[in-house]
């Protein structure tokens, strides 16, 4: 997927998130993040948006922690979220393709990284906001969902931070059943998982389903659609895969 498409998705998803949050109300519980109310979701996502914006807009070469979340609520909080989201979209959309700044996963360029990462960050939290509102959630495109699975498996869980470890070597297969070529083989050991595209050898367990459902399930927003083989491997994923 191209950077411009990620920015378009980010734009749409942020607007959907704000609308769902407004309909739900800031006091509403977020069932997909049981410790949160909608106000927590807005404060978190809005802070992430501003954090990402600063790296690109200021061409920051080094890591900088996120600012404290704001002590805002109600309409003021919603307006703050919308302003920060718009600033992020506009910053990414107007940045030079070769802008140099800090980023934390492999990518063709920093701008490509931040557009992709913020599109997925916002989509997952848009789903959270719609879960708080109730009703039918907005569809997620299967190619975008497959890209998000790839980012999660080959990006986030390739890092030393990943807690998905197994004393006994195990192999997990992940298959998006509605998307050609969307198959991953995840090797679990006492070290960070090693994931490659495709079916490489036998697997102890396979999780499969439509890309959009699988994407949300791997981000622990929905149950895993289908599990075959040794279910303890899938259970290990559910227990240890939260990204901090």
């Amino acid at each position: 997927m191209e950077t411009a498409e990620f920015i378009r998705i980010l734009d749409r998803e942020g607007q959907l998130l704000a609308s769902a949050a407004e309909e739900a109300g800031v006091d509403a519980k977020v069932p997909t993040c049981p410790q949160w109310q909608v106000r927590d979701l807005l404060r978190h996502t809005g802070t992430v948006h501003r954090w990402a914006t600063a790296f690109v807009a200021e061409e920051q070469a080094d890591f900088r922690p996120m600012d404290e979340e704001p002590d805002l609520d109600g309409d003021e909080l919603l307006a703050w979220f919308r302003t920060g989201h718009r600033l992020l979209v506009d910053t990414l959309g107007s940045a030079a393709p070769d802008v140099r700044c800090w980023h934390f996963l492999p990518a063709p360029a920093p701008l490509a990284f931040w557009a992709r990462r913020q599109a997925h960050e916002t989509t997952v939290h848009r789903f959270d906001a719609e879960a708080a509102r109730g009703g039918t959630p907005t569809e997620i495109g299967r190619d975008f969902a497959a890209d998000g699975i790839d980012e999660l498996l080959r990006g986030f869980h390739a890092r030393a931070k990943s807690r998905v470890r197994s004393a006994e070597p195990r192999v997990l297969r992940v298959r998006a059943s509605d998307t050609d070529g969307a198959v991953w083989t995840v090797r679990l050991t006492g070290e960070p998982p090693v994931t490659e595209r495709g079916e490489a050898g036998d697997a102890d367990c396979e999780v499969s389903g439509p890309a959009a459902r699988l994407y949300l399930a791997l981000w622990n927003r929905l149950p895993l659609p289908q599990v075959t083989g040794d279910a303890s491997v899938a259970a290990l994923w559910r227990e240890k895969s939260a990204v901090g």
Side-chain angles (χ1 to χ4, degrees):
M1 294 178 65
E2 298 295 326
T3 296
E5 180 61 17
F6 285 122
I7 296 171
R8 284 193 292 271
I9 291 170
L10 167 63
D11 191 359
R12 181 192 68 216
E13 294 291 323
Q15 292 184 57
L16 288 169
L17 192 163
S19 294
E22 187 169 26
E23 291 178 48
V26 295
D27 293 327
K29 298 286 188 182
V30 181
T32 46
C33 300
Q35 74 278 22
W36 275 359
Q37 293 175 293
V38 166
R39 62 172 54 85
D40 302 303
L41 177 63
L42 289 169
R43 289 169 180 166
H44 167 78
T45 312
T47 299
V48 171
H49 284 172
R50 283 167 167 77
W51 180 70
T53 297
F55 286 110
V56 178
E58 301 169 19
E59 299 187 39
Q60 295 179 7
D62 299 317
F63 169 78
R64 190 183 80 180
M66 280 187 273
D67 292 336
E68 291 291 322
E69 294 180 5
D71 186 20
L72 299 174
D73 214 345
D75 291 345
E76 192 177 9
L77 175 59
L78 276 159
W80 173 86
F81 174 84
R82 287 185 164 113
T83 297
H85 168 251
R86 176 49 46 200
L87 181 60
L88 174 61
V89 171
D90 291 347
T91 297
L92 295 176
S94 63
D98 60 352
V99 64
R100 309 306 302 171
C101 64
W102 180 85
H103 58 294
F104 62 88
L105 296 178
L111 182 62
F113 164 80
W114 284 111
R116 180 195 201 197
R117 174 82 291 276
Q118 292 308 301
H120 288 298
E121 174 85 12
T122 306
T123 297
V124 171
H125 288 315
R126 182 270 297 164
F127 182 81
D128 294 332
E130 291 185 344
R133 179 200 64 194
T136 303
T138 306
E139 286 189 15
I140 298 171
R142 65 185 183 184
D143 290 340
F144 177 72
D147 178 83
I149 295 169
D150 192 76
E151 184 203 40
L152 180 64
L153 297 180
R154 297 204 299 149
F156 278 100
H157 285 288
R159 302 184 302 166
K161 288 183 177 182
S162 177
R163 298 184 304 114
V164 185
R165 311 289 178 98
S166 175
E168 177 187 358
R170 312 294 280 165
V171 178
L172 173 66
R173 186 100 69 221
V174 176
R175 185 188 306 275
S177 56
D178 60 349
T179 310
D180 290 343
V183 182
W184 297 262
T185 300
V186 186
R187 302 188 185 282
L188 305 177
T189 65
E191 299 297 321
V194 175
T195 301
E196 57 186 301
R197 293 295 294 259
E199 298 187 50
D202 295 332
D204 298 293
C205 175
E206 178 169 306
V207 296
S208 61
R213 184 178 174 88
L214 194 57
Y215 170 67
L216 291 168
L218 291 170
W219 275 108
N220 295 317
R221 263 49 185 195
L222 293 174
L224 292 167
Q226 183 174 347
V227 177
T228 55
D230 185 350
S232 70
V233 180
L236 174 66
W237 177 274
R238 296 295 288 186
E239 180 184 353
K240 299 293 187 181
S241 66
V243 172

